[in-house]
Amino acid sequence: DDITNGLAVGLDAAALAGSGSSNQPTGILSTSGIGSVSFSSAGAPTFAEIVSVESAITVDNADSNNMYYVTTPALAGTLKTTTKDSGSGQFISENGLVNGYPILHTSSVTANNIILGSFSDLIVAQFGAVEVLSDVAPSTGITTLALHLHADIGVRHAQSFAKGA
């Protein structure tokens, strides 16, 4: 399970924040053409700025059904304690929803970023099975494992995603 989880975390990081250089796939945050909203205060967006992230997708007439927000655990926590306005007593994130869309969090998103998108337009292609190579050192008997996962990431429609930072 530990090995499988480690591979999943690596693939998650590549899909969300892969740089596209040094043999990394190009993740959502590095894909050209996705919507982008600058927050006035890094790591502390207002409700209006969160709505602007959605607008960056809908202005392109992208499919807005089945969208999700994905962010860091820290920003997810901030959204639970940030009020929408000065009088409603409502928070930006309540009951697992932000602006009507589910929110998920992972440490694979880079700091102060939030992604909104239709993740059915994120393609994760795996080539073959996970390859496990082992080597036993004759002098110590220590076994070393090496795992190889061959995969690539692609965003089918950049207009289906937007980031806020």
Side-chain angles (χ1 to χ4, degrees):
D1 284 346
D2 288 341
I3 292 170
T4 302
N5 288 339
L7 289 171
V9 167
L11 194 56
D12 186 43
L16 297 171
S19 67
S21 62
S22 300
N23 294 320
Q24 283 188 22
T26 301
I28 295 169
L29 290 172
S30 299
T31 298
S32 63
I34 70 167
S36 183
V37 173
S38 295
F39 297 151
S40 57
S41 179
T46 65
F47 183 64
E49 290 169 336
I50 291 293
V51 172
S52 293
V53 175
E54 177 191 16
S55 297
I57 295 172
T58 57
V59 73
D60 288 331
N61 294 321
D63 182 11
S64 59
N65 296 318
N66 293 324
M67 292 197 305
Y68 289 82
Y69 282 100
V70 179
T71 191
T72 65
L75 187 52
T78 297
L79 297 176
K80 288 180 179 181
T81 61
T82 304
T83 56
K84 285 185 176 182
D85 56 40
S86 61
S88 70
Q90 295 179 324
F91 296 95
I92 294 174
S93 178
E94 290 187 337
N95 302 316
L97 297 175
V98 170
N99 189 27
Y101 300 103
I103 183 168
L104 305 171
H105 56 83
T106 174
S107 296
S108 296
V109 176
T110 51
N112 300 324
N113 280 287
I114 190 166
I115 301 167
L116 176 64
S118 177
F119 283 82
S120 61
D121 283 331
L122 175 67
I123 299 168
V124 178
Q126 182 176 334
F127 307 101
V130 175
E131 183 179 10
V132 180
L133 304 173
S134 64
D135 182 41
V136 178
S139 61
T140 63
I142 295 175
T143 302
T144 303
L145 293 177
L147 293 114
H148 295 268
L149 171 65
H150 299 282
D152 201 1
I153 310 293
V155 173
R156 183 186 337 224
H157 300 292
Q159 299 84 356
S160 295
F161 295 92
K163 65 181 174 183

